[in-house]
Amino acid sequence: MESAYREYFRVKAQREEAYAAKRAKAVFLDTMTHEIRTPLNGVMGMLQLLKETGLTLEQMEYVQAAMDASRRLTKLFNNVLDYSRFDSGQVETPDVAFRIGDVMRHLNDALSGKAKSKGVAFTCTVDERVPERVYGKESLLRQVLYHLAENAVKFTDSGAVAISATLLPHAGPRFCRILFAIEDSGCGIPDEKLLDVFQPFTQVDDSYIRPREGAGLGLSLVQKLLKIMDASGLAVENGPCGVTVCLSAAFRVWEQPLPLAAPGAPSGSAVPAAGKILLVAREALAARRIKKALLLHGFDVDAAVDGNAGLRRLSTNDYDLVLLDLPLPDMEGQEAARIIRTSPGLAAKAHLPIVGLSSAPAKRQREQSRERGIDAVVQKPLDDAVLLDMIKTLMTRP
């Protein structure tokens, strides 16, 4: 009996130690996310403002090169962060109703320009038999297809990249299975490297000097994403003139009306010609950059350095929207939003749209913020187009 008790407490101690280690890793990732995205946000923000200052063609070329390098660094950081989170199980991906066509259009918008710049044709097609609306893990599907399609564009120097979605038979009632194929006319993958490229930080050309950028995380991330999606494994085929990558995923056929587009989704309405915004930002550089960008688009902006200062301004002034840093120096941004929504002294302002600005993982921050009354969250480093589109959507909604 005594030995059984010792074994019980030993197992319990190991479990608690493992939990503490997992928790420490999560805290470290969150801290590093904030500490890296914050200066990136400042760099990219200043570069975006610099483009609006009447530069010469040579200066504009330098600024564009710096912006491209910043975006590449942001992408690398996001991939490393995603891989760490998926590797440690720190990810929750709820099922949602969505359109396969919307996913493919998003993919086309994201990559067709890059393909065109290389002289490569880029097409996305959807089988007309695919149900208009399905229910499943849309965010993971977007990531999987983006990584695979971007890889195809990267390794194709001439010809075409074609992405297709085709309905497969016999999925069962109220379910469908869709085959996604990514075909390119690129350089192909040597047979002896087919397994290696799915390992993290590995590329076909693994020498120190490589002709193409990237850390070799894309395909290893795809494998982890497919496991979470419960999709079929990847099938990679070397053809006579390129590579074809196939995967299939099952979705429920969604027969109810889809909800309205989420805040931040593309909209055809114009940005309001005028509007007054309260910006509550903890960092002077970030506040200056955001304020300048909004002023350039016709908005009137008041800035506050912390939550209490922002609440005081809100109590004595009228605004059309509030931008809140998450967190603020004196309180969490979610707490400031809760006060705006529930304080009797701010009852006349409780309806205002509130947008959070966050360095934390977007999905988790959105879930936490929605509970406190924040309408939408924009992830740092900020993209002016994304921020303005979200402001447009929130300020023009009924």
Side-chain angles (χ1 to χ4, degrees):
M1 179 66 72
E2 184 177 347
S3 62
Y5 276 117
R6 280 201 300 269
E7 180 64 16
Y8 168 78
F9 286 113
R10 185 186 68 80
V11 172
K12 182 180 179 183
Q14 288 178 339
R15 186 183 299 115
E16 291 174 349
E17 183 179 350
Y19 178 80
K22 184 176 180 180
R23 175 61 183 163
K25 184 175 182 179
V27 171
F28 172 77
L29 288 174
D30 286 346
T31 301
M32 290 304 297
T33 297
H34 177 76
E35 294 302 322
I36 294 176
R37 280 197 173 128
T38 296
L40 266 177
N41 183 53
V43 170
M44 294 183 71
M46 289 297 111
L47 289 172
Q48 289 181 76
L49 287 182
L50 193 57
K51 289 181 67 176
E52 307 292 335
T53 59
L55 302 176
T56 66
L57 289 177
E58 184 179 12
Q59 290 171 330
M60 184 65 79
E61 182 181 344
Y62 297 155
V63 170
Q64 189 59 53
M67 289 188 67
D68 290 343
S70 298
R71 291 192 181 101
R72 179 180 171 187
L73 180 59
T74 301
K75 177 187 167 186
L76 174 61
F77 170 68
N78 287 335
N79 282 347
V80 172
L81 185 67
D82 284 346
Y83 187 85
S84 298
R85 291 191 180 281
F86 293 140
D87 199 41
S88 60
Q90 298 175 43
V91 61
E92 294 180 6
T93 52
D95 292 344
V96 298
F98 67 99
R99 295 181 175 90
I100 296 293
D102 290 343
V103 173
M104 300 292 269
R105 277 189 290 273
H106 177 271
L107 194 64
N108 185 74
D109 292 343
L111 293 173
S112 59
K114 185 175 182 179
K116 184 178 180 180
S117 69
K118 299 178 67 177
V120 174
F122 187 88
T123 58
C124 294
T125 58
V126 180
D127 181 355
E128 62 182 13
R129 298 172 300 163
V130 170
E132 181 189 2
R133 296 168 294 188
V134 297
Y135 189 77
K137 299 188 184 302
E138 178 193 22
S139 62
L140 298 190
L141 177 64
R142 283 178 184 264
Q143 284 184 269
V144 165
L145 294 180
Y146 180 84
H147 281 298
L148 293 174
E150 185 195 38
N151 226 44
V153 171
K154 182 193 299 185
F155 290 94
T156 301
D157 296 322
S158 63
V161 173
I163 322 297
S164 61
T166 306
L167 183 68
L168 294 176
H170 312 306
R174 298 185 181 177
F175 283 87
C176 66
R177 180 166 286 277
I178 300 173
L179 174 69
F180 297 93
I182 299 90
E183 302 174 77
D184 68 62
S185 57
C187 56
I189 304 174
D191 291 340
E192 65 274 14
K193 289 284 188 178
L194 278 175
L195 294 180
D196 292 343
V197 295
F198 292 98
Q199 300 304 314
F201 307 105
T202 301
Q203 286 191 339
V204 171
D205 183 354
D206 226 5
S207 59
Y208 180 73
I209 300 176
R210 294 184 295 198
R212 293 175 174 86
E213 65 182 47
L217 268 177
L219 293 181
S220 59
L221 267 175
V222 165
Q223 281 200 320
K224 291 185 178 296
L225 293 168
L226 289 176
K227 288 181 180 178
I228 299 172
M229 288 176 63
D230 194 24
S232 70
L234 241 51
V236 182
E237 180 184 6
N238 271 318
C241 54
V243 175
T244 299
V245 180
C246 297
L247 64 102
S248 69
F251 303 95
R252 206 173 97 201
V253 177
W254 189 253
E255 298 175 351
Q256 303 176 29
L258 282 177
L260 294 175
S267 170
S269 55
V271 175
K276 192 168 184 180
I277 294 176
L278 174 61
L279 169 64
V280 188
R282 60 183 298 167
E283 295 167 351
L285 180 62
R288 178 184 173 190
R289 200 279 285 181
I290 297 170
K291 184 173 182 179
K292 180 68 174 177
L294 294 174
L295 289 173
L296 287 173
H297 286 81
F299 293 96
D300 185 11
V301 184
D302 277 350
V305 297
D306 57 41
N308 282 302
L311 293 171
R312 287 195 296 271
R313 283 184 178 272
L314 188 60
S315 66
T316 56
N317 296 276
D318 291 327
Y319 297 98
D320 298 297
L321 183 138
V322 179
L323 290 176
L324 283 176
D325 238 345
L326 308 175
L328 294 165
D330 55 345
M331 66 176 71
E332 290 291 335
Q334 291 95 334
E335 178 62 16
R338 187 194 64 80
I339 293 172
I340 294 172
R341 297 300 190 209
T342 61
S343 173
L346 295 172
K349 317 292 175 67
H351 67 285
L352 285 178
I354 301 176
V355 176
L357 309 175
S358 174
S359 296
K363 177 182 173 297
R364 185 171 60 187
Q365 192 67 264
R366 283 196 300 269
E367 292 171 349
Q368 294 173 350
S369 300
R370 195 178 297 116
E371 298 173 358
R372 301 294 182 93
I374 294 179
D375 296 280
V377 175
V378 179
Q379 192 173 29
K380 299 176 183 177
L382 298 178
D383 184 305
D384 287 352
V386 173
L387 178 62
L388 288 167
D389 187 62
M390 188 168 291
I391 290 173
K392 168 188 64 177
T393 302
L394 291 174
M395 290 182 64
T396 56
R397 69 183 181 183

